[in-house]
């Protein structure tokens, strides 16, 4: 799960920086995926310690839930972006990608946390 958290954090930072650069650095809001990815990378770094792993991953899942909720507003406008009627189509696409990545992470993360809770202590 630590590797997945690291990979997701890197993917979100790349997505945010890429969106910022591709939109000609017009708005700092294009960096929102990076603003979610950096705390996930911090959680992944903390989770490398076995004694702090579960707590760090729980915080990472909480950050992912908040990020998914925040990106859902634009993500559900994907139909407008496909039809070409969205006011900011790049924001809709970035939000949709971020939403899908974070929801997948939340599902996998919750399952991993529940599995670790039911596992016998070593």
């Amino acid at each position: 799960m630590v590797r997945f958290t690291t990979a997701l954090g890197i993917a979100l930072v790349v997505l945010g920086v890429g969106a910022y650069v591709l939109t000609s650095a017009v708005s700092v809001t294009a960096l929102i995926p990076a603003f979610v990815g950096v705390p996930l990378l911090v959680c992944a770094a903390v989770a490398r310690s076995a004694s702090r792993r579960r707590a760090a991953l729980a915080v990472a899942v909480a950050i992912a839930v908040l990020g998914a909720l925040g990106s859902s507003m634009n993500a559900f406008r994907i139909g407008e972006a496909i039809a070409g009627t969205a006011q900011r189509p790049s924001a809709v696409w970035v939000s949709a990608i971020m939403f899908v990545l974070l929801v997948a992470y939340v599902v996998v993360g919750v399952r991993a946390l529940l599995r670790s809770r039911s596992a016998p202590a070593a």
Side-chain angles (χ1 to χ4, degrees):
M1 193 65 195
V2 175
R3 283 185 186 172
F4 188 29
T5 305
T6 303
L8 178 65
I10 291 169
L12 288 173
V13 169
V14 168
L15 179 65
V17 171
Y20 186 69
V21 169
L22 290 175
T23 59
S24 304
V26 174
S27 177
V28 178
T29 59
L31 289 169
I32 289 173
F35 296 151
V36 175
V38 170
L40 289 176
L41 288 171
V42 171
C43 288
V46 171
R48 294 200 187 282
S49 166
S51 63
R52 297 180 179 160
R53 182 167 296 138
R54 185 151 185 233
L57 292 177
V59 170
V61 169
I63 290 168
V65 167
L66 293 174
L69 289 173
S71 65
S72 67
M73 179 180 69
N74 273 341
F76 291 123
R77 294 182 179 177
I78 196 75
E80 294 175 17
I82 292 171
T85 60
Q87 290 181 357
R88 298 178 326 241
S90 59
V92 172
W93 283 106
V94 169
S95 293
I97 293 167
M98 181 175 159
F99 178 77
V100 169
L101 290 173
L102 290 173
V103 167
Y105 180 79
V106 168
V107 169
V108 171
V110 167
R111 290 182 73 196
L113 287 170
L114 290 175
R115 201 171 33 250
S116 72
R117 182 177 179 191
S118 63

